[in-house]
């Protein structure tokens, strides 16, 4: 069975601190996709990144970076120099692609990040 | 560019009343469409998905149903709401072909009283 675990329920940091959100996944498939989404207080899910199982390169986008390690089944997300606008719930998700079902996302329970000024 | 619209934004309904939530996608053809629910304090759960008109797959047995009467329209319904149907409902779409992320609507917050 597929599963995504985000062990950190809530994290609180002070602005400008670095913060890492953990994500551990389980799947027996060799082809899969990993995602991070941001859910601000408005509720809409904002896509941040997609990674396929064959691409273990880490990625950096501005203050955001992602560390994908198949050996530990982890896909961690780091925000450098956090800002108040980063306050949100962050979801890690897993997807396989069977017959057009790539949007069938298995979500973790989310990590609520609070960045205080 | 593609956009997804979902309405209403908020809804308060009495137990036993019917429900109809609508989602439409613009700027694309033959999308895959999805309904997710986020219950209070819980993660997001896939309820239904559709790869074409009239084609609905249910992921979780429940008091809800979905329909896709047109290519870019996805409707979530219930004949009689339960208290447990309360939650935040999100519609999403992906292109019909290719590997990509899912794009989500703004969501509907449903409170059953």
């Amino acid at each position: 069975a597929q599963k995504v675990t985000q062990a950190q329920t809530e994290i609180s940091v002070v602005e400008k601190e670095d913060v890492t959100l953990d994500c551990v996944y389980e799947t027996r498939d060799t082809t899969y996709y990993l995602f991070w989404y941001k859910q601000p207080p408005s509720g809409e899910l904002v896509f941040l990144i997609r990674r396929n199982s064959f691409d273990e390169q880490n990625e950096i986008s501005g203050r955001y970076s992602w560390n994908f390690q198949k050996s530990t089944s982890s896909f961690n997300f780091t925000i450098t120099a956090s800002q108040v606008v980063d306050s949100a719930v962050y979801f890690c998700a897993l997807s396989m692609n069977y017959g057009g079902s790539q949007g069938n996302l298995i979500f973790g329970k989310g990590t609520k990040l609070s960045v205080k000024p | 560019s593609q956009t997804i619209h979902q309405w209403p934004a908020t809804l308060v309904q009495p137990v036993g009343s019917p429900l109809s939530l609508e989602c439409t996608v613009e700027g694309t053809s033959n999308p895959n469409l999805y309904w997710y629910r986020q219950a209070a304090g819980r993660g997001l759960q896939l309820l239904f998905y559709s790869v074409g008109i009239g084609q609905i797959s249910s992921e979780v047995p429940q008091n809800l149903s979905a329909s896709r009467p047109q290519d870019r329209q996805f409707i979530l319904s219930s004949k009689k709401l339960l208290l447990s149907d309360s939650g935040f409902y999100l519609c999403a779409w992906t292109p019909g072909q290719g590997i990509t992320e899912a794009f989500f609507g703004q969501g509907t917050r449903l409170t059953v009283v």
Side-chain angles (χ1 to χ4, degrees), chain A residues 37 39 97 100 102-105, chain B residues 32 34 36 38 49 98-99 102:
Chain A
Y37 282 86
Q39 187 178 42
N97 182 35
Q102 70 266 31
N104 295 18
L105 299 169
Chain B
N32 297 324
Y34 310 84
Y36 283 85
Q38 184 177 22
Y49 73 93
I99 307 301

Side-chain angles (χ1 to χ4, degrees), chain A residues 33 35 37 39 43-45 47 50 91 97 99-105 107-109, chain B residues 32 34 36 38 43-44 46 49 51 88 90 94-95 98-102 104-106:
Chain A
Y33 305 87
F35 305 81
Y37 282 86
Q39 187 178 42
E44 180 180 356
L45 280 177
F47 165 76
R50 168 172 55 89
F91 289 97
N97 182 35
S101 61
Q102 70 266 31
N104 295 18
L105 299 169
F107 283 89
K109 293 191 183 298
Chain B
N32 297 324
Y34 310 84
Y36 283 85
Q38 184 177 22
L44 292 105
L46 178 65
Y49 73 93
V51 298
F88 190 55
L90 285 155
T94 60
I99 307 301
T100 185
E101 56 275 11
F104 286 81
Q106 296 86 348

Side-chain angles (χ1 to χ4, degrees), chain B residues 3-72:
Chain B
T3 56
I4 179 168
H5 301 282
Q6 198 180 330
W7 67 92
T10 60
L11 193 59
V12 180
Q13 292 284 96
V15 169
S17 64
L19 172 74
S20 181
L21 303 181
E22 189 163 341
C23 171
T24 60
V25 179
E26 296 178 356
T28 188
S29 298
N30 305 314
N32 297 324
L33 298 172
Y34 310 84
W35 279 110
Y36 283 85
R37 177 170 64 194
Q38 184 177 22
R42 301 177 63 180
L44 292 105
Q45 182 181 43
L46 178 65
L47 301 176
F48 301 95
Y49 73 93
S50 171
V51 298
I53 296 174
Q55 301 178 59
I56 308 296
S57 296
S58 174
E59 292 294 303
V60 181
Q62 60 227 314
N63 184 43
L64 303 168
S65 62
S67 62
R68 185 170 176 174
Q70 299 180 40
D71 181 46
R72 290 170 288 176

